[in-house]
């Protein structure tokens, strides 16, 4: 084998490996419940950032996936408007799925550029062993272009004006579980089209329910028990969970979270809209979190022997004083 041919074959192999790495990298670290994204609905406050707290001193990230239309929610607060409106997503957008789409597009572009530089044409970098992968990546690129066009069209839709949120003060009673609004109102915006909101008192029994549901959601997720998720989460959140589980299975992976504990938590805000009560709680969570391959159980990400911590904001909703259900998970930072 001539040196030139050997160099070409090695370059092709490196291009194929780089493509695989780009495809897989975006999805690995976000396999836990929620997919590492901000998903769900918070009623009229879906596009308003929850107030910060001692548990979550940094502002929550805006929604990446939500079924709440901007016209049905209050306007975002200053500083969160631009990013918040980008979070108006359709329910079909899966956090794990969109990460894979980005990796496919990146992998295809990288391999194509390599092929051009090596004098083999745009798709030359995927010749030989990687030919079939190149074909699949072309399909992924087309889907990615369609997604970008749809997203550009959505961004041109009319956006609501900015509005401020009422100020609040907190009293750290019962480990920060009680919040008292200042000035009475807790509405996220103004205007006749906005739903009227009133403060809601959250007691120890409610916080016990929130902590219990944190464990139940992770248990149902690890067991891939969608029926159990339907009992403790809104249909919207169940849709996201099911999509994420499907995306993991399509890769031949399984994520598990065990020994979930709430290290610290406090109430960010609680309010009532019509017949529904909402409560957003900041949670510092500790757990064992790992992902394995279904085929042989080989570890893909995480470590079943070492705990991981994260801080998230979980929003719960109940109707007519009934049982609480999970309606949103937001990331911080």
């Amino acid at each position: 084998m001539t040196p030139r041919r050997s160099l070409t074959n090695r370059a092709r192999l490196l291009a194929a490996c780089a493509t695989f790495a780009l495809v897989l990298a975006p999805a690995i670290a976000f396999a836990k419940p929620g997919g590492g994204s901000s998903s769900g609905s918070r009623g009229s406050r879906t596009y308003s950032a929850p107030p910060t707290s001692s548990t979550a001193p940094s502002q929550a990230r805006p929604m990446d996936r939500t079924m709440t239309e901007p016209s049905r929610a209050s306007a975002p607060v200053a500083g969160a408007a631009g990013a918040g409106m980008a979070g108006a997503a359709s329910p079909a957008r899966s956090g794990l799925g969109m990460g894979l789409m980005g990796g496919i597009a990146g992998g295809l572009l990288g391999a194509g550029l390599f092929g051009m530089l090596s004098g083999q044409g745009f798709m030359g970098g995927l010749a030989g062993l990687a030919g079939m992968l190149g074909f699949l990546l072309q399909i992924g690129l087309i889907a990615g272009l369609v997604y970008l066009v749809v997203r550009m069209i959505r961004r041109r839709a009319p956006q609501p004006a900015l509005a401020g949120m009422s100020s609040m003060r907190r009293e750290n009673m019962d480990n920060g579980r009680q919040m008292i609004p200042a000035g009475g109102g807790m509405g996220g915006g103004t205007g006749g089209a906005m739903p009227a909101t009133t403060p809601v008192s959250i007691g120890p029994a409610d916080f016990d329910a929130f902590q219990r549901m944190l464990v139940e959601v992770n248990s149902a997720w690890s067991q891939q028990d969608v029926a159990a998720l339907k009992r403790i989460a809104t249909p919207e959140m169940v849709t996201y969970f099911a999509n994420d589980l499907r995306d993991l299975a399509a890769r031949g992976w399984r994520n598990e979270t065990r020994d979930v504990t709430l290290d610290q938590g406090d109430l960010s805000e609680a309010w009532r809209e019509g017949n529904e009560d909402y409560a957003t709680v900041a949670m510092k969570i500790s757990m064992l979190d790992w992902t394995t391959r279904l085929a042989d159980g080989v570890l893909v990400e995480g470590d079943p022997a070492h705990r991981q911590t994260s801080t998230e904001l979980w929003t719960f909703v109940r109707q007519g004083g009934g049982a609480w259900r999970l309606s949103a998970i937001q990331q911080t930072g």
Side-chain angles (χ1 to χ4, degrees), residues 24-37:
L24 298 179
I28 289 180
F30 305 112
K32 64 180 181 179
S37 64

Side-chain angles (χ1 to χ4, degrees), residues 190-271:
T190 60
M194 303 306 174
T197 62
T198 57
V200 171
S201 177
I202 301 298
D206 299 310
F207 284 97
D208 290 340
F210 300 154
Q211 184 171 357
R212 182 174 63 253
M213 292 176 64
L214 169 67
V215 176
E216 291 176 350
V217 166
N218 278 274
S219 175
W221 167 269
S222 297
Q223 298 174 26
Q224 304 180 30
D225 190 345
V226 177
L229 289 169
K230 289 180 179 179
R231 294 192 292 269
I232 53 181
T234 62
E236 177 180 3
M237 288 301 295
V238 172
T239 297
Y240 301 143
F241 287 141
N243 287 344
D244 291 346
L245 288 171
R246 179 200 61 201
D247 290 342
L248 284 169
R251 296 179 182 86
W253 297 344
R254 176 172 181 172
N255 175 255
E256 295 186 61
T257 58
R258 303 288 185 187
D259 195 17
V260 180
T261 61
L262 178 62
D263 295 341
Q264 181 180 338
D266 54 30
L267 183 67
S268 175
E269 59 180 342
W271 70 99

Side-chain angles (χ1 to χ4, degrees), residues 145-200:
L145 292 175
V146 172
Y147 161 73
L148 291 176
V149 172
V150 172
R151 186 171 183 179
M152 290 176 61
I153 295 175
R154 285 175 178 166
R155 283 186 172 180
R156 293 184 179 181
Q159 309 295 348
L162 298 179
M165 293 187 67
S166 59
S167 61
M168 300 180 183
R169 64 183 178 89
R170 296 178 178 81
E171 289 187 2
N172 292 323
M173 301 178 62
D174 193 16
N175 294 326
R177 289 181 170 180
Q178 182 173 353
M179 183 175 71
I180 301 177
M186 294 183 67
T190 60
M194 303 306 174
T197 62
T198 57
V200 171

Side-chain angles (χ1 to χ4, degrees), residues 60-86:
R61 283 161 37 189
M63 295 298 183
D64 302 302
R65 303 180 288 181
T66 182
M67 295 183 183
T68 300
E69 298 293 336
S71 60
R72 299 183 60 186
S74 63
V77 296
M85 298 320 304

Side-chain angles (χ1 to χ4, degrees), residues 126-138:
L126 292 179
L129 181 63
M132 180 59 68
L133 177 61
F135 173 72
L136 295 176
L137 292 180
Q138 291 181 65

